[in-house]
Amino acid sequence: MPVTTAQRRAHYDDFVRQVIALCAVNGIRADLNSGFGRPVAECSRMPEHLTRHIAGFGARRAHYTVASLIALHRDLPHENAPYQPEQPAPGKDQDATTPVANTALASGPSGSAPAASTAERPWRRRPDLGTHLAIAVARYGFKEATMTNRVKTLTRLDTSLLHPRLWTLTGHLNSHGAARLDFAVLLEDLAWWDDDQLEIAARWRENYFLTLHTLTSKEQ
């Protein structure tokens, strides 16, 4: 029986939770961190931890890359605490129909909205990579021109070049405490990159510029 979109997305959320749990063991975390965005064939230390969590869903390289990105994270939740990616705070000038406006359903570090489980929010109202990179500029002091060029570059790359760049980028975000990504949403985008790059890339760019405009307008 084919896997439905809802089942895939539930799996992506489950996978993130499972990897976060695995990272509680330092040795496993080091094994997952060894992926560095590499092809699966070069990740000899990862299969024993990930194979059972990926079975039936394909997109092995996307899963491996996301697992290595999670292992890089410096602020994983304590046991039994849910992982919450950072959200753009709601703004009075946001259109309620836009993805950016609708991502603001749970409180981030500077938000005041009531917290809600990531998995409870409609999928396309959750922040993708473009949204998160705009947050890095607006809240964490990353240079806008540099990040804008990075977004444009990332969205032009094929899988073999994109994955290593994401690993380097996440390490850079981590160095400024700005890497609370929605890893499940990123996992879906990477899983479909080879089939739907133009659509996903366009959404990353649009959400980057829209979120950046919204957040910087609030500061003025």
Side-chain angles (χ1 to χ4, degrees), residues 87-105:
Q87 307 291 326
K92 63 182 180 180
D93 57 340
Q94 289 176 328
D95 181 344
T97 65
T98 65
V100 174
N102 287 327
T103 55
L105 300 178

Side-chain angles (χ1 to χ4, degrees), residues 143-164:
K143 293 182 179 179
E144 180 178 343
T146 301
M147 189 64 79
T148 297
N149 286 334
R150 191 185 294 263
V151 170
K152 292 177 180 178
T153 298
L154 289 174
T155 53
R156 291 195 299 264
L157 299 177
D158 62 19
T159 292
S160 64
L161 296 176
L162 175 64
H163 287 235

Side-chain angles (χ1 to χ4, degrees), residues 48-130:
E48 66 177 295
H49 309 300
L50 299 182
T51 299
R52 65 186 182 277
H53 300 303
I54 299 172
F57 289 93
R60 288 189 302 158
R61 184 165 190 183
H63 285 82
Y64 275 49
T65 292
V66 168
S68 71
L69 298 183
I70 294 172
L72 273 176
H73 209 295
R74 296 178 178 177
D75 188 26
L76 293 173
H78 297 294
E79 186 176 1
N80 298 323
Y83 175 80
Q84 290 289 356
E86 185 162 17
Q87 307 291 326
K92 63 182 180 180
D93 57 340
Q94 289 176 328
D95 181 344
T97 65
T98 65
V100 174
N102 287 327
T103 55
L105 300 178
S107 59
S110 60
S112 57
S117 168
T118 297
E120 292 173 357
R121 295 194 295 280
W123 192 266
R124 282 294 165 239
R125 296 181 183 181
R126 293 166 58 169
D128 63 13
L129 185 65

